[in-house]
Amino acid sequence: MGMSISRQIDLTENEYLKKFVGKVHIPVTSSSSEQNNTEDSCQPIDEFWNEFLKYHITLPTNSQEQLSLDSRLESLCQSFLSHNLSTGNFGSLINVFLLKVAELLALSDTESNIHIWQAFNALFIIRCLIKYMIETGSEYQLLQHFEAIPAQSSIQQQSDSTNLEIDVASGSGNETNAIKTVIVDGSKFEAFFEAIINIIVVIPVKEFTYHLHLEAVNSIIILLSVNLFSQQPTEKSTIFKTIYKCPHANTLMSALLHFLSRMQQIPSTMFGFGSGGSFVFGIAESLWSILTFSRKSPDILSTHDLPTAFKEQFPLANQSLLLILILTNHHTTKDNPYRTSLFGCTNSQDDDTGSSGTTIHAAVKNDDVTVIPSTFKIDFASLYNTISRIVTIDQSTLLLYLLLHRNQKFYKFIMAQQNLQQLVIPILQTLYNAPDSTSHHIYMSLIVLLILSEDDNFNKNVHQIILKNINWYTERSISEISLGGLLILVVIRTIQYNMLKMRDKYLHTNCLAALANMSGQFRSLHPYVAQRLVSLFETLAKKHARLDLQLKQPNNLNGDAGQTIVTVPITTTSEDMLQDLSVLEEVLRMVLEILNSCLSHQLVYCPNLVYTLLYKRHVFEAFRSHHAFQDIIQNIDMVVGFFSSRLQRVQDQRGELGVNEVLEVISKGASQWSSDRLRKFPDLKFKYVEEDAPEEFFIPYVWSLVCRAGCVHFSSENMKGVTTEIGC
């Protein structure tokens, strides 16, 4: 970035840092009187702060860089903690930051690189100190440092000698007696948080303000991370209370979602340096240049590592997305203005407001109706395109889930899209590459498909969208298939993967529920899709037969002649087998209901499924007399019998029939078939319902994403809260 990065400058020897963390109070202004608010803005800022804030840094982007930075700052942070309650220098820095932000907001033209640069530098130092205090202390101690005012002895030392030699070691003598009792009322913290909000929502994002906005978003994430390092409930946290009672929550959520939607790429330079900017950074070369790190620049459109590329090339969008997830998933059982804001946003391209300018729609959960007013407007098309581009990233899938599940306006917008493949295909790729994804990501991807399948128009449209040459589906080369057919194939594959690897009953349920919702609209099924549907039942049937045999002959687990006999006690093993058998029978029943639903509603449009049932009729034989299946097997037998007899008659006339001739007979027979012959079953309709206490799942999940996919890295060793299993 225009500076040498090879010199090994010892930060503990930097005179400005030493003075800041030392024993001497540093006033905000050059005036001898010190105030604890920004009313002294008419006084010039003390020259120390202007020099102190002249440094340049490239933000650490991975855990190694963060550890390197933390290790260089640790001794300085320890010295800061030892002295700040006496010196109040952190409060001075906060006031300097507030002044810098006030200056920025007062400027008619925000293209003042030096103001933005110094505001960023001040906020970065504050963020580093807050992060250290959160990871090593308590929230109360952090707020003490916010509110600390200088002791008289500290001010006297400053007035006695402006060139005082600073001792960074622990003080002695009367230093402890000089520390005043700090009254923590949160007022300084509230002013600081409001300044961060102003940066995000008032200052427009441009190339030279990009890093300031990023630092503001990161600072809020750091503040909220107090939940990771404390066992104190968030309801008792002053930081959480302040953030969740923020009167600008709606405006903040709007800004964050716009940051994501626009997905602005990180500038190649900071604050305009090197691109015609008016400010020269040469004066910063001597300070903190050791903190400059190299950066890679992958092309997000072609990279195979999309999460890393998104994080490195679009950090503001990435961090804004993570902050949205944090804000909306905490305090879910109370009034959460951020959730209300996200779930009530509407499409800026619609003109559907009433005379009051407010659109009202109802969201239904657990039979309760919650009226959600329109909160802010955003271009849904832009948001849809952005989410579609990055939906294979874990945090993007989670946001999509929240919007689809809770925002009815956005859900209806998605259902009206003609290019559904833009969103659905990447989700299917995530499921197809299940071993490369987390179990949570697989689970949320399936829930998204389940929510989409609740809409009949979606189920119709996916069979009308024809795809060609899906190269990533390698089980079989398919030159042409409908989006609906591809969806069925991938969901069936996920069921089979779950049977082998995850053995998650709820995952089975969600997969089958999505297929069941779609089954009444299955059309023009590809021969391979029809084969996979019936083969799914066949695979499950074979597993059912093996389990049933093992239960009847518990001393012969192999059940095959000539193989080793293994004796197993009839204890918990038999109980587990019985449970597995019960689950398996539920799944088999569901697959039969899916087949029956298609035959009842779409038989005329699915000749390939009838062909496959005729070819595989033997797989149903063992279940004709089974009490759990015989009612629905009768329907399948009736269809198979009808077409089998017609084929037999034609075959008697013509001789052996080829595949095309068989399909021709089936198509003609379908036109004469009446579904009234079949026994009626209720339509298969499943709706996703969030379980009770969803925060128990989502809060650890969200923070694991923040740690794994975010630009801010935390010390996992010190975590104490509900997310102690999260590794950063």
Side-chain angles (χ1 to χ4, degrees):
M1 305 289 286
M3 296 181 295
S4 170
I5 63 172
S6 60
R7 67 182 74 181
Q8 298 296 313
I9 301 174
D10 186 352
L11 295 179
T12 59
E13 297 303 316
N14 182 277
E15 60 175 308
Y16 296 104
L17 287 172
K18 286 170 62 177
K19 186 172 183 180
F20 172 70
V21 303
K23 301 176 183 179
V24 177
H25 167 65
I26 306 167
V28 176
T29 69
S30 55
S31 171
S32 58
S33 62
E34 176 66 28
Q35 299 183 31
N36 285 296
N37 52 46
T38 58
E39 295 177 0
D40 57 356
S41 57
C42 59
Q43 298 287 341
I45 291 178
D46 191 273
E47 185 59 26
F48 167 86
W49 298 110
N50 286 325
E51 293 299 319
F52 180 56
L53 298 178
K54 290 178 180 177
Y55 68 88
H56 184 52
I57 181 173
T58 299
L59 299 176
T61 59
N62 55 55
S63 56
Q64 288 74 27
E65 292 176 0
Q66 184 71 57
L67 286 171
S68 175
L69 174 61
D70 290 346
S71 64
R72 291 184 174 94
L73 293 177
E74 185 170 8
S75 63
L76 293 165
C77 289
Q78 290 173 349
S79 180
F80 161 81
L81 291 179
S82 298
H83 303 136
N84 182 70
L85 292 181
S86 175
T87 66
N89 285 340
F90 187 64
S92 293
L93 178 57
I94 294 291
N95 281 339
V96 170
F97 170 70
L98 297 179
L99 288 170
K100 295 293 182 182
V101 174
E103 290 173 357
L104 272 178
L105 298 176
L107 290 173
S108 58
D109 182 3
T110 57
E111 295 193 27
S112 175
N113 297 32
I114 189 169
H115 286 89
I116 295 167
W117 179 50
Q118 290 191 331
F120 167 86
N121 285 350
L123 184 55
F124 179 78
I125 298 170
I126 293 168
R127 196 246 287 182
C128 288
L129 292 171
I130 291 175
K131 179 176 179 292
Y132 182 81
M133 287 187 279
I134 285 176
E135 291 182 350
T136 60
S138 68
E139 178 183 337
Y140 183 76
Q141 291 170 330
L142 169 63
L143 295 175
Q144 277 187 310
H145 284 281
F146 262 96
E147 305 292 343
I149 57 177
Q152 187 61 41
S153 60
S154 178
I155 298 176
Q156 185 62 41
Q157 286 181 2
Q158 190 272 337
S159 61
D160 288 345
S161 176
T162 58
N163 297 316
L164 183 66
E165 187 94 15
I166 303 299
D167 180 10
V168 298
S170 299
S172 58
N174 297 323
E175 180 183 2
T176 302
N177 296 330
I179 299 177
K180 293 184 176 181
T181 301
V182 179
I183 300 175
V184 177
D185 61 6
S187 58
K188 181 68 70 68
F189 172 74
E190 289 181 10
F192 169 69
F193 181 67
E194 186 172 351
I196 293 177
I197 298 297
N198 282 329
I199 290 173
I200 293 174
V201 304
V202 176
I203 299 174
V205 180
K206 298 182 179 180
E207 182 174 337
F208 48 87
T209 68
Y210 187 98
H211 288 87
L212 178 60
H213 284 90
L214 176 59
E215 191 58 31
V217 172
N218 283 342
S219 295
I220 299 178
I221 292 176
I222 290 293
L223 290 169
L224 289 165
S225 73
V226 69
N227 179 62
L228 295 178
F229 300 92
S230 171
Q231 294 179 326
Q232 175 182 253
T234 56
E235 293 81 3
K236 297 182 179 181
S237 165
T238 300
I239 291 175
F240 269 75
K241 287 178 182 177
T242 301
I243 292 176
Y244 280 87
K245 290 182 179 179
C246 174
H248 311 296
N250 184 59
T251 311
L252 174 59
M253 182 58 67
S254 174
L256 294 174
L257 200 60
H258 277 90
F259 290 170
L260 170 65
S261 178
R262 292 167 186 154
M263 211 164 93
Q264 185 174 336
Q265 192 166 4
I266 188 171
S268 58
T269 61
M270 295 178 71
F271 316 112
F273 171 66
S275 59
S278 59
F279 189 72
V280 179
F281 281 88
I283 60 174
E285 185 171 351
S286 63
L287 180 60
W288 290 20
S289 61
I290 188 63
L291 304 183
T292 300
F293 303 102
S294 61
R295 186 188 300 279
K296 298 179 181 179
S297 300
D299 179 6
I300 192 171
L301 298 178
S302 60
T303 181
H304 295 293
D305 189 0
L306 184 58
T308 300
F310 180 60
K311 178 175 69 174
E312 294 187 354
Q313 291 298 294
F314 302 91
L316 181 58
N318 184 60
Q319 296 304 100
S320 297
L321 171 54
L322 292 171
L323 181 54
I324 288 170
L325 297 178
I326 298 171
L327 291 171
T328 52
N329 283 287
H330 278 281
H331 286 226
T332 56
T333 58
K334 302 174 177 60
D335 291 334
N336 182 329
Y338 301 100
R339 284 176 72 85
T340 301
S341 179
L342 181 67
F343 301 158
C345 69
T346 57
N347 190 1
S348 61
Q349 303 305 308
D350 287 345
D351 185 18
D352 56 357
T353 56
S355 58
S356 65
T358 302
T359 302
I360 304 295
H361 63 276
V364 181
K365 179 188 176 184
N366 297 334
D367 300 325
D368 296 327
V369 177
T370 303
V371 178
I372 303 178
S374 176
T375 50
F376 63 88
K377 294 196 172 192
I378 188 169
D379 185 349
F380 278 178
S382 176
L383 182 60
Y384 170 71
N385 290 333
T386 295
I387 291 177
S388 296
R389 289 180 68 190
I390 59 171
V391 75
T392 54
I393 299 175
D394 217 323
Q395 58 267 34
S396 180
T397 305
L398 183 51
L399 176 65
L400 176 62
Y401 157 77
L402 289 170
L403 289 170
L404 289 175
H405 182 45
R406 295 290 191 161
N407 190 313
Q408 288 298 308
K409 292 286 186 180
F410 188 76
Y411 182 83
K412 290 178 181 178
F413 174 84
I414 294 292
M415 292 302 102
Q417 297 309 297
Q418 298 300 311
N419 60 341
L420 282 169
Q421 68 273 19
Q422 179 179 331
L423 178 69
V424 175
I425 289 178
I427 296 174
L428 298 181
Q429 285 181 281
T430 297
L431 295 174
Y432 188 81
N433 298 313
D436 299 328
S437 302
T438 65
S439 59
H440 284 5
H441 195 190
I442 296 169
Y443 194 69
M444 296 313 302
S445 298
L446 280 170
I447 291 176
V448 166
L449 289 182
L450 174 56
I451 294 172
L452 292 174
S453 73
E454 293 170 11
D455 184 86
D456 284 340
N457 287 327
F458 172 84
N459 298 329
K460 291 177 184 177
N461 292 337
V462 291
H463 291 288
Q464 297 171 359
I465 298 173
I466 304 302
L467 310 173
K468 296 182 182 296
N469 299 319
I470 306 299
N471 296 325
W472 52 266
Y473 188 88
T474 58
E475 263 73 3
R476 175 167 171 168
S477 177
I478 303 176
S479 60
E480 184 175 287
I481 191 172
S482 69
L483 178 60
L486 182 63
L487 195 159
I488 295 168
L489 288 178
V490 173
V491 171
I492 288 174
R493 187 177 185 272
T494 304
I495 293 172
Q496 293 174 324
Y497 172 77
N498 184 50
M499 285 193 298
L500 292 173
K501 301 290 185 181
M502 300 173 67
R503 300 173 62 81
D504 184 336
K505 177 182 176 180
Y506 293 104
L507 192 143
H508 269 334
T509 302
N510 286 322
C511 286
L512 292 167
L515 291 180
N517 285 343
M518 297 175 61
S519 61
Q521 303 293 338
F522 284 172
R523 285 202 173 198
S524 304
L525 294 182
H526 189 282
Y528 182 60
V529 176
Q531 292 170 26
R532 298 300 296 146
L533 273 170
V534 178
S535 293
L536 173 62
F537 182 85
E538 184 177 19
T539 301
L540 294 168
K542 289 178 179 177
K543 188 172 183 179
H544 181 275
R546 287 196 299 271
L547 270 175
D548 192 41
L549 181 62
Q550 289 172 15
L551 283 166
K552 291 175 180 176
Q553 300 176 350
N555 291 332
N556 185 355
L557 293 184
N558 292 309
D560 294 327
Q563 294 193 2
T564 304
I565 294 177
V566 182
T567 301
V568 179
I570 309 176
T571 54
T572 56
T573 302
S574 294
E575 293 175 5
D576 290 343
M577 287 183 184
L578 281 170
Q579 186 176 1
D580 286 348
L581 191 67
S582 175
V583 171
L584 196 54
E585 288 181 354
E586 290 179 17
V587 174
L588 280 164
R589 172 78 188 191
M590 186 76 114
V591 175
L592 286 173
E593 288 178 346
I594 290 168
L595 294 172
N596 178 71
S597 175
C598 180
L599 295 176
S600 299
H601 297 92
Q602 302 292 335
L603 184 146
V604 69
Y605 301 109
C606 296
N608 286 316
L609 180 59
V610 175
Y611 180 96
T612 306
L613 289 172
L614 289 167
Y615 184 72
K616 290 280 190 176
R617 70 183 76 181
H618 62 277
V619 304
F620 303 101
E621 290 177 358
F623 299 93
R624 288 191 175 95
S625 58
H626 196 294
H627 66 90
F629 309 107
Q630 58 187 186
D631 57 342
I632 204 161
I633 287 285
Q634 288 175 2
N635 276 1
I636 295 175
D637 277 346
M638 190 175 294
V639 172
V640 170
F642 173 81
F643 287 96
S644 180
S645 62
R646 291 184 66 89
L647 282 170
Q648 187 62 51
R649 288 198 300 269
V650 174
Q651 192 167 346
D652 290 343
Q653 296 171 3
R654 303 184 193 174
E656 277 305 314
L657 301 177
V659 174
N660 292 333
E661 292 172 309
V662 172
L663 288 172
E664 181 184 357
V665 173
I666 291 173
S667 296
K668 287 182 179 179
S671 64
Q672 301 172 14
W673 166 262
S674 174
S675 60
D676 292 339
R677 307 180 188 186
L678 300 178
R679 179 174 177 175
K680 302 300 180 185
F681 289 89
D683 287 343
L684 295 180
K685 283 296 176 185
F686 293 86
K687 185 176 178 63
Y688 170 75
V689 177
E690 209 168 59
E691 292 194 11
D692 295 335
E695 62 276 2
E696 294 179 5
F697 171 84
F698 286 109
I699 289 177
Y701 180 27
V702 166
W703 280 108
S704 70
L705 292 176
V706 173
C707 290
R708 187 176 72 250
C711 303
V712 178
H713 302 271
F714 301 94
S715 171
S716 58
E717 297 177 356
N718 298 328
M719 290 184 183
K720 303 174 183 176
V722 296
T723 54
T724 51
E725 74 276 12
I726 294 172
C728 291

